[in-house]
Amino acid sequence: MLLEICRLEKTLEGRTVLSIPHLQIGAGEIVALVGPSGCGKTLLLRMLTGQLKPSGGSIILDGRDLSRDRRARTRVALLFAEDLLYERLNPRQFLAFFCTLHALPSRRIDEVLTAVGLGDQVRQPISKLSLSARRRLSFAHLQLLQPALALLDEPVERVDWDTAQLFAHLIQNLAAQGSAVLIGVRDLAWAGKFCTRVIELEAGRISGDYSYAARSGGSESKGGEEGTAAPTRYVPYKVTARREDRIMLYDPAEVLYATSRDGRTILRTVSGEEATTNLTLQELEQRLSGRGFFKAHRAYLVNLQHIKAVIQFTRNSYTLQLDDPQETMIPLSKQSEKELQNLLDY
């Protein structure tokens, strides 16, 4: 087994915030670590890199204790939730600096930049890159390191759909090359399409641990810890709506936007379908919390992954242009534009 955690604990201010009696992860596994903010995902990931010392227990990577063996820690790579980049450099300069810092050969820099889709932006200052391009550059260090254990903290929270799809492909490649991959996410809307196992974390403790066959829809319990109930099968969240004589179940990623019209809530999908849901727009916003949706206007809830442009017509008049074939225009209130500006940092 590549990674083995035994009796791992972290105590802060006299309170146990993380407690994992036993956990094993094998080479080639893609594990989604699922839970809301504050459940301990980021804490665990940082402990696995050696950035935080455990209060008790051990973390063994390929037979070596991560807390004691410095060389073992070089085989672990973490993609932080934040992009830690030097904005005055360009992508090639940044990766060259990264190679120097970690004593890596620089011959693969151009190959890696092409792999993450930045081959045509190698001389563009990082400060001028889009949020998705910056995230791709952050991901590039995983490609350079080729770690035994790859850790990713909310990797697609601020990226476009194409980048999310690219990351899924690159993660599967890492696993195919023998890396164990652990991805911290709030839900399985994205990671559930390709992960092989799900670990649910609640208040710093594992509440579920099971294999997950996303493509076939199957799920097989791996067995919980002693004294805990066996986890139930995970069912990805779906948005239910009626279309003609059918009840449709949409993956949130399929929803382009939702709007309130004539007292009804209408869903518009990426494929151009329209369906009516019994939920109000406010209820739908609550259900989709943490899944990348944004209240652009009192009558519109928009999937952030499908925003192509923000257009300003007058000083106080804004519109969102979506990336569907019709390039749909959605009204954007002044207050929402300020919130979106803070959210996307444009």
Side-chain angles (χ1 to χ4, degrees), residues 87-257:
E87 297 197 347
R88 293 183 180 180
L89 303 179
N90 63 42
R92 181 180 280 139
Q93 290 170 333
F94 176 76
L95 291 188
F97 170 75
F98 182 82
C99 286
T100 301
L101 195 63
H102 293 271
L104 296 171
S106 60
R107 61 178 179 272
R108 294 184 59 241
I109 288 177
D110 287 337
E111 172 193 336
V112 167
L113 285 171
T114 299
V116 298
L118 295 177
D120 59 345
Q121 300 181 63
V122 295
R123 291 186 173 85
Q124 182 86 339
I126 293 173
S127 61
K128 294 185 178 180
L129 295 179
S130 68
L131 287 174
S132 291
R134 294 185 187 197
R135 199 63 174 152
R136 291 183 184 215
L137 182 57
S138 294
F139 193 99
H141 86 278
L142 294 180
Q143 300 291 107
L144 282 172
L145 284 171
Q146 296 178 307
L149 177 62
L151 310 171
L152 299 91
D153 193 5
E154 298 292 351
V156 297
E157 195 168 52
R158 303 180 301 279
V159 305
D160 56 32
W161 186 86
D162 287 339
T163 300
Q165 297 301 104
L166 174 65
F167 283 4
H169 172 71
L170 293 175
I171 287 169
Q172 290 175 88
N173 283 348
L174 280 172
Q177 293 165 13
S179 296
V181 183
L182 186 58
I183 311 168
V185 289
R186 289 190 179 90
D187 58 65
L188 288 177
W190 168 72
K193 295 178 180 179
F194 60 89
C195 69
T196 60
R197 183 176 167 194
V198 173
I199 295 174
E200 293 178 338
L201 204 61
E202 185 176 340
R205 289 161 175 80
I206 294 176
S207 58
D209 181 357
Y210 41 90
S211 61
Y212 187 82
R215 290 178 180 81
S216 63
S219 177
E220 178 186 348
S221 171
K222 296 186 76 69
E225 297 146 10
E226 186 176 351
T228 61
T232 56
R233 178 179 175 180
Y234 181 86
V235 179
Y237 180 77
K238 297 284 186 176
V239 182
T240 57
R242 180 177 293 277
R243 182 169 171 261
E244 298 176 349
D245 59 345
R246 298 183 181 184
I247 301 297
M248 309 297 293
L249 284 81
Y250 294 110
D251 187 310
E254 297 179 72
V255 179
L256 189 66
Y257 66 87

